[in-house]
Amino acid sequence: MKLGLILSPGDSLERQKRTGQFDRLLKYYLLPYSRHFEAVLIFSYGDKDFHADLPENISVVTVTRLNLLKTVDTIRVFQASGGVPGILAKLLFGKPIVVTYGYDYVRFAQIEGRPVLALLLKMVIPLVLAAADRVIVTDPKNLYLKRSVYLPNGVDPDKFKPAGKRRQNLVLSVGRLTRQKNYWSLIHAVSQSVLARKIKLVIIGEGSQRHKLIKLAEKLRVNLSIIKPLPHQKLVSWYQKSAVFVLASKIEGNPKALLEAMSCGCASLTADFPGNVIDEQKTGLVGLEKLDQLLLNPDSGQNLGRHARQAVINRYNIKSLIKQEIELLKQCTK
């Protein structure tokens, strides 16, 4: 049984390495795939000369070689926005496809100020979902979609776990520096805190908004450090030592960074966005104006963090989730 993987539009294993996500992809997805399938063929938007320690039965080719999809038994499309090659393979070769519908792709494009892309996605996404044999949804609210299966994003609670002492007034956020992540709201929230001059704000990520965010922080006298993306495992220590983790996004799918912070027992604070996994007052707080509630009451934050970690263990353990996904892929092949 052979599996074909189609990466998200524009994505590649080299890009995954650059943004610190390759280790996660390899350990929790590619290695399990390689153990359950005779061969795995990755269709990438790049990676002509990719070098890494991949299992022998995993190969990487560019999406320009779509004719090779006829050699696989099932096609796994990582995001519905990149599902056109899967549709072509189904039409030409009759291959079953499994697609992830992870978030509102059209709304994301609109927020990023890309109206042409939003219009294109508005036309493409329904076609991809209609063609899919199974649609993996990361938000149970999307189970209304035909042939949908709920499989959220996950995290390894054995690796992402609490440890050591947290640094007082260290506020952390992780993610791309884009409009969708809404970091300017976070910077404003820090500037309005009664502890504003004591807070150390750290954002781990890269993107087009970097210089604008630095200028805003300087204007509002916020102590901001922006760190380039780190390998997946090196994020753990930041979650472990942060007093508060904040996700200020306008919209999300099923945010992995928030799940990682919760797994590490962080006191988590989010904006009120679609796709939020926080259970208000139980596993975290919703509303950036509540930042001081967590900073001034660390015991309350620790209690929220304990419940958040338990929620991850119960619902978002990536090891059990990938087993369910592999079984789903095998069922589609049969």
Side-chain angles (χ1 to χ4, degrees):
M1 197 178 297
K2 298 180 181 179
L3 177 67
L5 302 178
I6 299 177
L7 300 184
S8 302
D11 202 6
S12 66
L13 300 188
E14 285 289 356
R15 181 179 178 278
Q16 292 266 334
K17 288 186 71 173
R18 188 172 66 252
T19 57
Q21 293 300 306
F22 177 71
D23 291 344
R24 181 180 187 275
L25 177 69
L26 176 62
K27 182 173 182 179
Y28 298 110
Y29 290 88
L30 299 185
L31 289 177
Y33 288 153
S34 72
R35 291 192 289 266
H36 287 270
F37 294 93
E38 174 188 346
V40 179
L41 188 58
I42 301 174
F43 291 83
S44 165
Y45 292 82
D47 295 324
K48 289 183 178 179
D49 302 308
F50 181 76
H51 297 289
D53 293 328
L54 294 173
E56 291 184 0
N57 63 338
I58 294 183
S59 303
V60 185
V61 298
T62 64
V63 290
T64 57
R65 301 185 65 188
L66 290 179
N67 62 305
L68 293 177
L69 283 170
K70 65 184 177 183
T71 67
V72 305
D73 298 295
T74 301
I75 299 169
R76 173 73 172 94
V77 181
F78 276 1
Q79 290 293 344
S81 54
V84 172
I87 292 179
L88 293 175
K90 183 164 187 176
L91 291 173
L92 295 173
F93 312 124
K95 304 296 182 178
I97 59 175
V98 177
V99 175
T100 291
Y101 184 79
Y103 53 91
D104 187 340
Y105 306 97
V106 174
R107 182 63 182 141
F108 265 61
Q110 291 171 339
I111 290 173
E112 293 300 328
R114 304 178 68 182
V116 175
L117 176 61
L119 181 61
L120 182 62
L121 289 171
K122 193 172 183 178
M123 294 185 291
V124 168
I125 297 301
L127 297 176
V128 174
L129 297 180
D133 293 82
R134 290 290 187 277
V135 178
I136 294 175
V137 297
T138 57
D139 186 338
K141 293 180 182 178
N142 292 322
L143 279 171
Y144 68 90
L145 295 169
K146 292 182 179 179
R147 297 177 293 280
S148 60
V149 178
Y150 173 57
L151 279 177
N153 290 325
V155 62
D156 185 351
D158 294 328
K159 297 294 183 182
F160 285 80
K161 57 186 178 182
K165 187 176 180 180
R166 300 192 178 275
R167 293 186 187 175
Q168 190 176 19
N169 301 325
L170 174 58
V171 177
L172 174 69
S173 192
V174 177
R176 296 170 295 110
L177 309 182
T178 61
R179 295 180 184 179
Q180 171 251 329
K181 293 296 183 180
N182 199 25
Y183 285 119
W184 51 86
S185 290
L186 172 56
I187 293 172
H188 276 285
V190 169
S191 72
Q192 293 165 9
S193 167
V194 297
L195 300 170
R197 300 296 170 258
K198 297 181 179 180
I199 292 174
K200 171 67 174 177
L201 175 60
V202 174
I203 299 175
I204 300 176
E206 63 181 0
S208 61
Q209 300 293 305
R210 178 185 175 90
H211 295 298
K212 291 182 179 179
L213 295 174
I214 291 174
K215 287 184 178 180
L216 178 61
E218 290 174 349
K219 178 182 178 181
L220 297 178
R221 299 176 64 190
V222 169
N223 183 5
L224 168 67
S225 293
I226 297 179
I227 299 173
K228 290 185 177 181
L230 297 171
H232 188 241
Q233 292 300 324
K234 290 189 177 181
L235 285 173
V236 177
S237 63
W238 279 100
Y239 292 125
Q240 290 172 337
K241 63 188 175 186
S242 296
V244 178
F245 174 83
V246 182
L247 191 62
S249 302
K250 293 182 177 181
I251 187 174
E252 283 285 351
N254 186 223
K256 289 188 281 289
L258 177 57
L259 293 174
E260 291 166 354
M262 292 168 64
S263 187
C264 289
C266 279
S268 296
L269 176 69
T270 73
D272 186 10
F273 55 78
N276 201 339
V277 298
I278 287 294
D279 189 352
E280 171 69 1
Q281 297 290 343
K282 293 182 180 179
T283 60
L285 298 181
V286 178
L288 300 190
E289 71 280 0
K290 298 176 183 177
L291 177 61
D292 282 350
Q293 289 186 37
L294 295 176
L295 291 174
L296 296 173
N297 300 282
D299 290 341
S300 174
Q302 289 178 13
N303 186 53
L304 291 171
R306 283 192 293 270
H307 285 92
R309 175 168 170 76
Q310 192 58 50
V312 168
I313 292 171
N314 293 343
R315 288 177 267 169
Y316 303 107
N317 189 317
I318 196 169
K319 294 178 181 177
S320 62
L321 291 169
I322 192 60
K323 289 179 181 178
Q324 295 176 53
E325 181 182 318
I326 289 171
E327 185 58 33
L328 175 65
L329 293 171
K330 290 181 176 180
Q331 289 174 2
C332 285
T333 302
K334 294 174 183 178

